[in-house]
Amino acid sequence: MKTLVNFIFIIALALNSFGQAKKPTIMVVPSDRLCISKGFSQTFDNQGTQETLPDYKKALQNDGDLRLVISKMSGMMADRGFPLKDLEQELKNLAQEAAESNMMTSSSSGSAISESPIDILKRTAKADIIMDLDFEIKRQGPNKYIVFTLNGLDAYTSKNVASASGAGQPSSAATPEILLEEAVLSYMDEFNGRLMTHFQDMFTNGREVKVMIKTFANAGISLEDDYDISGNTDMLSMHIEDWMANNTQGGRFNLSDGTANFMRFEQVRIATEIERNGKMRAQDTRMFVNELSKYLRTNCQIESKVYLRGLGEAWLIVGEK
Amino acid sequence: MKKVTQILSLMMAIFFLVSSMGNAQSKNKVRKMEYNSKYNYEVATIAVGVDGTKLVKVWGYGPKPEEAIRHAKELAIACAIFRGFPPASNGAAAKTPPIVTDDSVIEKYAEFFDNFFAPGGKYLQYVNLSTDAPPTGEDRVKVNKKTYKVGVVLSIAFDELRKDLEKEGIARRLDAGF
């Protein structure tokens, strides 16, 4: 009897540890408007056009109010089981990583670390959900009040998955710090309520992701080329579309654009878990696209490269590895 | 002829009396149903406090003001769990969503909630009265001979309530499933 109980316990533990979706990372990022209006920005000449971009490092080093709001939000999110990625720390880590990568050499041959231009480009602060934060302390006669906006943006689908905004109660006595703290306390429950709805939708209908199909120029493959799969001769793009229909949750996806060289699939719903090597594992977009790569290799003898852009976006570049 | 007119007048008077009594009875019935309705929450948010507390004004009903206060406390906690609080009209607080979003938990955990909301039940742990004396003036209304309606300002330990319901498995955690 004891053995049986132990066995059930181990099985339950195994199911619990493997049957879970990948947890998205969340980071608070000050909005472009907030940074630019406070002068935390960089302007550069982009081929004759003056472009202004936010300077996050400068903003985090100089704006005490911003640090207060981020700190308060981080505490509340950690309390709800979602410790936030800290933008300031992430920027410091990236700078340190870049310095170490440049200095690192092999002890035997003195070789440097191999790094492609893409690897360097990918060295940026990123998260799966960005909490785009904006606030402004306004005045109305002797009173001060806060206008607060918080948008939860899915980094891959660019959808606003949760939001909370409004103007606080005017006060002549409260300091701006107190007003800001009140605003965070006031809006975070509403924001988290919407985030919860987004997660529940994800577990019910699958994770919404983006998939791009591209072609290598040297491979000489067009998505309009005909291939025969199980006696069905059709364009490669149609075979890919058929595969998407068969492998997405509820057959839900949207081919939003495409030519002979690329296909853009949006609102692709993929299962949060997948069986792999006899175990249920959390699935991300890379694993999903990898299955399409295997399908094309087996049925059309086409090699392809799976390129990961994050938890919610991956590219399949057809023609070569 | 005079006698006939008298009888007719008497009949008319009885008819109006009976119909007005019926109306009053049905009005009382509707009022009773409203008092007992699980959807009837008369709640206004006043402010948010530190450490996850919410300051709300709740209206409760009862045969005595003390009973109405007890009812208001019960309603405030039920509202936090099942309906959430509306935003404050002066901008002092945004909308608070309910702790439990799945309606089926009411039936699934009926025994838990019966004990939770029993007189002297655990729900009292999450509610603090911000005023000591029974309300007076416009916050104390005598609805009819048997019922008082009172408005009280309560401080609700919202985060604590949410965490305890999450521990019991009744409320879903934000990170559940990951």
Side-chain angles (χ1 to χ4, degrees):
Chain A
M1 185 62 190
K2 200 178 171 187
T3 320
L4 182 70
V5 170
N6 283 344
F7 178 72
I8 292 168
F9 178 73
I10 290 164
I11 293 287
L13 200 71
L15 284 173
N16 191 39
S17 55
F18 293 117
Q20 290 188 319
K22 289 209 170 179
K23 194 173 185 173
T25 52
I26 307 180
M27 183 158 64
V28 183
V29 177
S31 73
D32 288 12
R33 195 211 66 82
L34 177 65
C35 290
I36 294 167
S37 68
K38 290 193 170 190
F40 307 128
S41 58
Q42 292 172 328
T43 304
F44 68 98
D45 186 9
N46 183 10
Q47 297 175 350
T49 309
Q50 289 291 312
E51 278 197 31
T52 305
L53 290 176
D55 187 340
Y56 298 127
K57 197 176 168 188
K58 205 170 158 187
L60 292 161
Q61 282 174 344
N62 294 289
D63 193 342
D65 290 344
L66 179 62
R67 290 179 66 87
L68 174 85
V69 172
I70 292 179
S71 165
K72 195 81 202 169
M73 284 166 70
S74 297
M76 291 180 85
M77 290 303 287
D79 201 36
R80 301 294 300 265
F82 268 95
L84 299 180
K85 247 185 169 182
D86 188 77
L87 176 59
E88 190 176 15
Q89 198 54 41
E90 187 74 357
L91 292 172
K92 280 181 192 167
N93 276 344
L94 288 167
Q96 185 69 20
E97 190 188 315
E100 284 177 19
S101 290
N102 288 337
M103 301 301 286
M104 187 77 73
T105 53
S106 146
S107 57
S108 53
S109 68
S111 163
I113 290 176
S114 58
E115 210 169 27
S116 70
I118 283 288
D119 295 342
I120 298 165
L121 201 66
K122 270 179 165 285
R123 214 187 284 140
T124 54
K126 58 183 197 174
D128 303 317
I129 294 174
I130 291 163
M131 289 170 80
D132 185 77
L133 168 72
D134 190 16
F135 61 85
E136 193 175 355
I137 301 164
K138 292 199 169 186
R139 283 191 169 275
Q140 186 187 44
N143 294 331
K144 292 183 286 288
Y145 66 99
I146 300 279
V147 177
F148 188 88
T149 309
L150 183 61
N151 287 314
L153 305 167
D154 186 302
Y156 312 108
T157 61
S158 306
K159 283 192 174 174
N160 191 331
V161 294
S163 67
S165 60
Q169 188 184 20
S171 168
S172 59
T175 60
E177 291 78 21
I178 289 174
L179 289 176
L180 281 168
E181 193 180 354
E182 268 180 16
V184 176
L185 289 170
S186 171
Y187 293 106
M188 282 304 282
D189 278 330
E190 188 183 6
F191 180 84
N192 281 334
R194 293 203 170 130
L195 199 58
M196 173 84 95
T197 309
H198 169 66
F199 290 150
Q200 278 176 339
D201 172 68
M202 189 186 89
F203 286 117
T204 312
N205 301 314
R207 190 190 292 278
E208 188 176 329
V209 300
K210 200 162 125 184
V211 175
M212 289 285 287
I213 312 288
K214 292 171 181 271
T215 52
F216 277 116
N218 289 344
I221 288 180
S222 158
L223 295 173
E224 289 175 352
D225 290 346
D226 283 336
Y227 285 86
D228 181 86
I229 297 179
S230 312
N232 176 23
T233 306
D234 216 330
M235 287 189 296
L236 182 58
S237 59
M238 288 308 295
H239 287 304
I240 292 172
E241 214 176 317
D242 289 345
W243 185 89
M244 292 291 272
N246 294 332
N247 290 277
T248 46
Q249 191 113 323
R252 271 184 258 186
F253 68 95
N254 179 24
L255 175 62
S256 61
D257 209 351
T259 65
N261 299 316
F262 84 96
M263 297 170 87
R264 182 184 290 123
F265 291 100
E266 291 179 321
Q267 297 171 52
V268 180
R269 292 285 190 156
I270 63 170
T272 52
E273 292 167 33
I274 188 171
E275 195 184 328
R276 199 172 163 86
N277 304 328
K279 289 175 188 167
M280 288 307 284
R281 271 176 60 180
Q283 178 176 233
D284 60 10
T285 322
R286 181 177 153 274
M287 287 169 80
F288 176 76
V289 170
N290 191 44
E291 292 300 314
L292 174 59
S293 172
K294 281 197 256 178
Y295 175 81
L296 294 180
R297 191 184 308 130
T298 312
N299 294 288
C300 307
Q301 287 72 51
I302 297 174
E303 286 297 334
S304 52
K305 183 186 184 72
V306 178
Y307 177 76
L308 172 72
R309 285 211 69 215
L311 179 60
E313 185 176 350
W315 296 356
L316 186 74
I317 311 167
V318 178
E320 289 175 14
K321 271 272 185 192
Chain B
M1 186 62 193
K2 199 179 173 186
K3 211 169 186 180
V4 173
T5 313
Q6 277 175 344
I7 290 168
L8 272 175
S9 307
L10 192 68
M11 280 173 72
M12 290 275 278
I14 290 169
F15 174 75
F16 283 119
L17 190 69
V18 168
S19 65
S20 68
M21 272 171 71
N23 270 342
Q25 269 180 353
S26 67
K27 269 183 191 170
N28 274 339
K29 214 174 178 182
V30 167
R31 200 175 288 145
K32 239 181 191 176
M33 281 163 80
E34 278 178 359
Y35 297 162
N36 295 326
S37 169
K38 62 176 181 175
Y39 304 109
N40 186 19
Y41 298 108
E42 291 179 52
V43 182
T45 309
I46 294 172
V48 286
V50 287
D51 302 326
T53 57
K54 311 273 177 195
L55 204 63
V56 291
K57 184 168 183 178
V58 192
W59 292 86
Y61 296 89
K64 288 178 182 171
E66 292 77 14
E67 277 292 304
I69 291 172
R70 199 198 62 75
H71 183 230
K73 286 181 183 178
E74 197 183 314
L75 277 180
I77 296 298
C79 191
I81 299 173
F82 302 113
R83 203 193 73 173
F85 298 124
S89 55
N90 57 4
K95 184 184 158 192
T96 305
I99 293 171
V100 169
T101 47
D102 181 6
D103 287 341
S104 68
V105 299
I106 301 172
E107 282 176 26
K108 204 173 161 189
Y109 295 95
E111 198 185 332
F112 171 87
F113 285 118
D114 284 346
N115 293 329
F116 188 82
F117 285 112
K122 202 183 174 190
Y123 78 97
L124 291 167
Q125 186 183 322
Y126 309 101
V127 56
N128 299 303
L129 200 61
S130 65
T131 46
D132 294 332
T136 52
E138 60 180 15
D139 288 341
R140 177 179 169 148
V141 182
K142 195 163 187 186
V143 184
N144 56 35
K145 279 181 188 170
K146 290 179 185 171
T147 314
Y148 278 95
K149 178 181 177 179
V150 300
V152 282
V153 176
L154 302 169
S155 165
I156 308 293
F158 188 82
D159 280 10
E160 204 182 312
L161 173 64
R162 177 177 52 74
K163 279 179 197 165
D164 285 355
L165 290 178
E166 283 174 356
K167 262 188 220 160
E168 294 284 345
I170 295 166
R172 190 183 163 90
R173 282 179 61 90
L174 186 63
D175 64 344
F178 292 112

